[in-house]
Amino acid sequence: MRAFVTIVCLTAGTALCLAADPAARWDQAAEVMPTIIPGTAVPADAATPPFAVPAGFTVERLFVVPKDELGSWVCLGTDGKGRLIASDQGDKGLVRITPAPLDGSRPTVVEKIPVPLTGAQGLLWAFDSLYVVCNGGPGSGLYRVRDTDGDDTLDAVEKLRAFDGGGEHGPHAIRLSPDGTRLFIVCGNHTKVPFEVTNVTEPQSMGGIRPNQRRVELPPGATSRLPANWDEDVVIPRMWDANGHATGILAPGGFVVSTDRDGKEWEVWTAGYRNAYDFDFNADGELFVYDSDMEWDFGTPWYRPTRVNHATSGSELGWRSGSSNWPAWYPDSLPAAVDIGPGSPVGVTFGTGAKFPAAYQKALFICDWTFGTIYAIHLEPQGSTYAGRKEEFLSRTPLPLTDVTILRDGAMYFTVGGRGGQSELYRVSYSGPEPTAPVDARDPRGADARALRRSLEAFHRPGDDAAAVAAALPHLASPDRFVRAAARVALEHRPIGLWQGKVLGAADATAVIQGAIAVARQADPPAQPAVLAALDALDPARLATAEKLDLARAYELTLVRLGAPDDAAAARIAARLGPLFPSGDYELDRQLASVLVAVRAPGIVGKLVAALAAPTGSAATTNLAPREADLDRLIERNASYGGAVRSALEKRSDLLQIHYAYVLRAADASAWTTADRKGYYEWFARARQWAGGNSFRKFLTNIEAESLATLSENERMGLETLGVRKPWVAPPLPAPEGPGRQWTTAAVLAAASDKLDSGRDFEHGKRAFAAARCIVCHRFGEEGGSTGPDLTQAAGRFQVKDLVEAIVEPSKVISDQYKASIVLTADGKAYTGRIVAESPDSLTVVTDPEDATKAVTIPRSDVTEIQTSSQSLMPKGLIDTLNEEEVLDLIAYTLSRDKGNGGRFKKKK
C-alpha cells in the first residue's frame, strides 16, 4: 500500500492515488425479515412491515448504513472477486462489501474504498478495472479505477471522458456488452451526447412546420446507430411542461451510448428516453432499458407510463419535452415491451446466475423507488422482439429501492435509500421446493427473426452502401415492426440518391409509407412533391387501421421535415384524410386531428368542438384501456392519480377531448365561429374537474391561455360577456390552533416515538397541513399547489425520520427539481427563486414559492452570474405555529397516501 497521497487534477487521462484508512470498516450480522405471500393482508399487530415475496423466498437485512459516515446508497456493482461495491448519491464515496455468507456464520463487512470518487451512479468491473460513472461529484463522467500494486485495494483513478450533464437526469448505469468488448452507458435527458455535433442547422425548438432540415456532422471517433439529425418532429406547436420541468431540452433526450475500454470511440446506440437509470442485456444479447414517466403529465394524452423498452440498434423511443412526447404508435419510433405504470425506475438486472426457480432465472428484475416494488418481467419472444408480462416479485411500504444485482452465491442483493434517505442492504434467497439448477436462458423462439433484424442492424453505421440498400429494401414491408424499423434506419444511413426513387415507387403500400418516412427524415425540401405524390397515390379506403395511422404520420413528417405545403397540396391532404375522421379508433383519431388542423382542413374546427361537447366515455374506444386488475392496482398504489386513471384511461374520450382542445389552439383563426368559440371555452370549465398529475390543470390553463392570446380584444370581451371564463379563487386557510414552539428534528421525533403510531386524527392532520401552509405549495391527493413536490406518495419514499428532517430542516436535502437559484444582473439586482424556463435570449425565475405565477423574465444579456442557493425555497419554521397534536397529526396525514383508514388513525365511533 502506498504511504503517500498524490493530488492531481482529474482531467481526462490523469490518475490519482490515495492511501486506505484501515479503520474505515463496519461489521453487522444478518437479520431475517418477516415475509408474507403477495396479496396477503399485513397483520394489524406487525411490529415490522413484512416483505411480500413469492413462497419459498427469504429476505435478510445485511446492513443498516450509518448515514453520517457512508451516506445514502444508490448504486450496486461487484468487483473481480464477486464482492459488492456500493456508492453514495452524495459525497461519501465508494465502499466494498463482503456480504455475510448464506449460513450467517460471519457478519457483513463494509470497507471504504480509498479513491476520491463521489456521486457514482454506475459501477462495472471489466478489463481488471472498476469503471465508475459519476453524476456530479468530481465531475460527471466515466472513470477507470485500478489496483496498481496488487494489494487488493483500488488506489488509482483515471478520468476517461467528461459528460455534459448531471443531477437526477444525468449519466447513470454502465454495463458490459454481451461480447465483452464494449462499455454501454445510459444517460438521462439532461445529459448531452458525449461528443460535439457540428455544422448543425437551427433545430426545431417549438414543434410545428419549419422550412429546413436539421443537418449534423459528427467528429472523428463518433458514430450514431440512429441517424443523428434527430429533431422534435411534431406538427402541432409544443407546450413546455406547465411547471417548467425540462424546458428547453430538445432531442435526442436520454440515450444509451457505447465506448471501448479506454473511452476513445463513442457510438450512440438508442435514444429518445426520458430518464432511464438502469438497463441490462438478456441471454440472447438483447438490450432492455427501464425508462421513467413524467408523472406530472398523468391524465394528459401525452403521458407515457414507466416502461421496459427493447432497445434495439438505432431505435428511437420518442421522449420529447412537454406536450411533444411521442405516442407509442409513431412508426418512426418503437413501442415498449411492457408498460409498468406510474413510478420511479431505478435498478435493473436479469436473474442470470440466481439460484431461483427457472422462470426467475430468465426474468428481468426492475426496481421502483416510489412504490417500493421489485417487478419480475417475464419476456416472451414475439417476432424479432419480445412482449413482457410484469409480476410483483417483492414489495414493502416504505421501501425506497435504489439498485439490485445477483452475486456468485446465487442470491439477489438490493439497496434502499436515495435523496439522503436511510439506506439498507438486503438479500433475497430461495429455499423452496422448486429446482434451482442453472438453466439456459437463451430462447430459440424468434431466433431467426432476431437474426434477420440484426443482419439489417449491421448496416446502422458506415459500410457497403449498395449491400445495405439491397438488404433493406425487401423488408420495408415486413409485418414485424422491429424489422421494418431496422430496414428503414439502414437506408437512412445511406446516400439518399441510392434509394429514394425505389422506395417511393414500391408496389406495397407499407413499403411506400415507410420509405416516405425515411425520405422525409433525410431529404431536402425540394423532395416534398415527390413524397406527397407517392402518399397521394395510396387509397386510404384500402388500408388497414394501422396503415392509415402510419400514413397520417408520414404526411405529418413530410410537413415538419420538408416544410409547409402549398395551398393545393394542403387541400389534397385534407381531402384524403378528412373523410377518415372520426374513425372511432383512439390512436387514429388523435393522429388525424393533428394533421387536419395543420393543413387547415375545412370543417375540422367544428368537428373537434362538437366532440368536446360529447359526454365523456360515450364514444370511447377500449383498445388501449388497461386491464381492470391493473386499474385497481394503480389506484390502490397511487391515490393521487386514481381519479385520473378512471377518467382518462378507462374512459378514453377524456384523453381525446384534451388532445382536441390542445390542437385547436393551433387552428386557423378564420375557421372559428362564435358558437365554436363558446363551446371550446366552456369545455375548460368541465375539464378542470378531472383529476391528473401535478401539471394537468396547469396544462389546461396554458392551453386556454395560448388560445386566448390569438384572439382580438373584441373576441376576448365577447367571451367574458358570454360568461364563459371565470377566475378560480383559493379557499381561505384555517388558523393554527397553537400554542406553537420552535420545533427541532429531535423534539418532533421524541414526540413521534411515543404517540405517532396510533390514535392520530386524519381530518385534524388535513387541517394542520393547511394551517401550516403546506397545501399552498404541495399537492396532496386532489388538492394543493405545485411549486413543491407532490406529497401524496411520501410514505413510499420517506421513513418518519426522513420526513421530519425534510419539514424541520428543508435545506438539508433538496431535490434538483426544487433547488433555488440566485440570478445576479449587471445593474446589481439579485433574483432568488426557481428557474422554470430558459431560452438562448432569456430565463424566467419564479420568485414566490407559494405562487408560480409571480415570476420575472430576465434577458440573458443582463445576467452576470447564476449561483445555486444552499437554501430550500421552502421556508424554515413552518410548523412552529403548531402544537404537538397538530404536528403529529400532520405527519401521520402526510404519510397516509390520502387514506384515513391506516393503522395510525383512531377509528371513528
Side-chain angles (χ1 to χ4, degrees), residues 557-582:
L557 283 169
T558 304
L559 305 183
V560 171
R561 288 272 181 160
L562 302 180
D566 59 32
D567 290 344
R572 288 197 303 272
I573 296 172
R576 295 178 58 72
L577 298 184
L580 303 180
F581 182 86

Side-chain angles (χ1 to χ4, degrees), residues 558-619:
T558 304
L559 305 183
V560 171
R561 288 272 181 160
L562 302 180
D566 59 32
D567 290 344
R572 288 197 303 272
I573 296 172
R576 295 178 58 72
L577 298 184
L580 303 180
F581 182 86
S583 68
D585 180 88
Y586 170 78
E587 297 173 344
L588 183 55
D589 283 342
R590 181 177 160 186
Q591 184 65 31
L592 288 171
S594 296
V595 178
L596 291 172
V597 165
V599 298
R600 304 177 301 281
I604 188 59
V605 169
K607 286 183 179 181
L608 295 177
V609 172
L612 295 181
T616 55
S618 64

Side-chain angles (χ1 to χ4, degrees), residues 112-127:
K112 288 281 286 186
I113 296 177
V115 293
L117 293 181
T118 58
Q121 295 192 7
L123 298 168
L124 172 70
W125 187 269
F127 312 119

Side-chain angles (χ1 to χ4, degrees), residues 37 53-59 355-358 360 428-437:
I37 304 300
V53 288
F57 286 91
T58 300
V59 182
K355 292 181 180 178
F356 289 179
Y360 294 115
V428 183
S429 56
Y430 182 76
S431 58
E434 295 187 46
T436 60

Side-chain angles (χ1 to χ4, degrees), residues 473 477 501-513 537-538 542-543 547:
L473 284 174
K502 295 177 181 179
V503 298
L504 296 182
D508 186 274
T510 298
V512 172
I513 293 170
L538 302 177
R542 302 183 65 178
L543 301 179
E547 292 171 316

